[in-house]
């Protein structure tokens, strides 16, 4: 069921989102009514609402809507909270300032997930700091990579620096066994931030032609946790080095905040 401002969503109210795709969202994995990084997810929604709609958003109300949607369901699933303005006029987006809260959910897979093979592509998301609903470019490159035999795409900016995946942040284990996050224009991921709090790391430019020098690589977001990358283009990478195993296990050990 889709809930809009806490009530079953009227399809007419969602038409604007379908036709204009203007809005922002966050997705969070719920495990037995706990969410890793819940406060950060709510902070993201508040921050992005100012950017996208120039409006305030009440995080306590959003949290209540999520609780209403989850109810007493046990187990693991992914909740997506999308912020939209049903009255948006494509000719006057500057007038859109009435954010509504759409809450949906879907099943969550067991963690950890199997390693990925990714293909590098030259692409940079629009307004990368915002987790917005404009996913066409990212999904187009994901589709093209899959048609070419890979699982997903890894984005490289016009400066030749690695940035992120379509719906995930990327991190690396360098030759010394240290964690390195790319310094680039990327989405400030919630799971990435949690891992940065837990583990020593550096943030540095990662040129695409330096990837063969890396000991390992991984994708991370709230729904996949820490997922090893077994190949980037033709470069094969180990999937179980100690530093990567430690990252994955520390994420899985996080209990999370109760809804």
């Amino acid at each position: 069921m889709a809930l809009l401002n806490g009530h079953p969503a009227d399809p007419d109210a969602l038409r604007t989102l379908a036709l204009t795709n203007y809005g922002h969202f966050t997705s969070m994995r719920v495990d037995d009514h706990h969410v890793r990084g819940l406060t950060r997810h709510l902070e993201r929604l508040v921050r992005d609402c100012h950017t996208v709609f120039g409006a305030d958003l009440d995080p306590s109300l959003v949290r209540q809507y999520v609780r209403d949607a989850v109810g007493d369901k046990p187990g693991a699933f992914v909740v997506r909270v999308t912020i939209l303005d049903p009255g948006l006029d494509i000719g006057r987006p500057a007038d859109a300032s009435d954010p509504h809260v759409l809450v949906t959910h879907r099943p969550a897979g067991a963690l950890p997930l199997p390693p990925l093979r990714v293909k590098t592509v030259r692409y940079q998301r629009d307004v990368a700091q915002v987790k917005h609903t404009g996913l066409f470019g990212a999904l187009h490159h994901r589709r093209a990579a899959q048609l070419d035999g890979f699982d997903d795409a890894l984005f490289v900016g016009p400066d030749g620096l690695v940035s992120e995946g379509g719906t995930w942040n990327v991190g690396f284990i360098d030759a010394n066994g240290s964690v390195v996050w790319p310094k680039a224009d990327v989405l400030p991921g919630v799971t990435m931030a949690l891992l940065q709090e837990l583990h020593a790391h550096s943030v540095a430019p990662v040129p695409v032609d330096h990837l063969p020098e890396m000991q390992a690589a991984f994708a991370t977001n709230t729904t996949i946790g820490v997922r090893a990358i077994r190949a980037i283009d033709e470069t094969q990478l180990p999937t179980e080095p100690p530093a990567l195993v430690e990252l994955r296990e520390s994420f899985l050990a996080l209990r999370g905040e109760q809804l």
Side-chain angles (χ1 to χ4, degrees):
M1 179 184 293
L3 298 181
L4 186 64
N5 290 351
H7 303 284
D10 180 350
D12 286 342
L14 305 182
R15 181 179 292 119
T16 298
L17 180 64
L19 296 179
T20 67
N21 205 26
Y22 188 83
H24 64 95
F25 72 101
T26 197
S27 292
M28 59 187 83
R29 181 185 173 100
V30 180
D31 290 282
D32 293 324
H33 301 272
H34 287 76
V35 177
R36 299 176 183 90
L38 176 59
T39 297
R40 288 183 176 274
H41 283 289
L42 296 174
E43 290 172 347
R44 164 190 281 166
L45 290 171
V46 171
R47 180 180 65 248
D48 288 355
C49 194
H50 281 287
T51 301
V52 176
F53 293 111
D56 293 329
L57 187 68
D58 182 352
S60 62
L61 187 58
V62 173
R63 191 171 186 166
Q64 183 59 56
Y65 290 155
V66 173
R67 281 198 295 260
D68 291 343
V70 170
D72 58 359
K73 299 181 185 68
F77 44 93
V78 177
V79 169
R80 170 167 161 157
V81 180
T82 305
I83 310 301
L84 66 146
D85 183 348
L88 183 143
D89 181 342
I90 197 170
R92 289 290 305 172
D95 296 338
S97 59
D98 183 21
H100 287 45
V101 182
L102 175 67
V103 181
T104 55
H105 59 80
R106 57 182 172 83
L111 297 178
L113 296 174
L116 293 166
R117 291 183 66 244
V118 301
K119 180 180 181 179
T120 57
V121 297
R122 297 282 176 160
Y123 180 70
Q124 183 173 336
R125 292 188 311 109
D126 294 333
V127 197
Q129 294 295 310
V130 173
K131 193 173 179 68
H132 54 74
T133 59
L135 296 176
F136 176 83
L139 295 183
H140 175 73
H141 285 295
R142 174 177 286 173
R143 179 179 186 273
Q146 290 174 348
L147 290 174
D148 207 19
F150 294 84
D151 299 308
D152 212 334
L154 176 63
F155 301 153
V156 178
D159 52 5
L161 298 179
V162 173
S163 58
E164 59 187 345
T167 54
W168 39 270
N169 291 110
V170 66
F172 299 94
I173 310 297
D174 68 13
N176 298 317
S178 300
V179 178
V180 180
W181 299 94
K183 184 177 182 181
D185 195 11
V186 303
L187 179 74
V190 169
T191 302
M192 178 176 70
L194 293 174
L195 292 170
Q196 288 175 341
E197 289 178 352
L198 292 170
H199 295 273
H201 64 276
S202 62
V203 179
V206 179
V208 66
D209 56 1
H210 288 188
L211 292 181
E213 302 171 12
M214 294 296 178
Q215 182 185 139
F218 58 94
T220 183
N221 68 26
T222 189
T223 61
I224 66 175
V226 177
R227 187 173 186 179
I229 295 175
R230 64 185 178 93
I232 302 176
D233 296 332
E234 302 307 317
T235 299
Q236 303 296 311
L237 296 166
T239 60
E240 294 290 321
L244 181 50
V245 172
E246 183 180 356
L247 278 173
R248 184 177 64 222
E249 295 304 316
S250 64
F251 174 78
L252 292 175
L254 287 174
R255 173 63 172 161
E257 302 169 60
Q258 187 165 12
L259 281 174

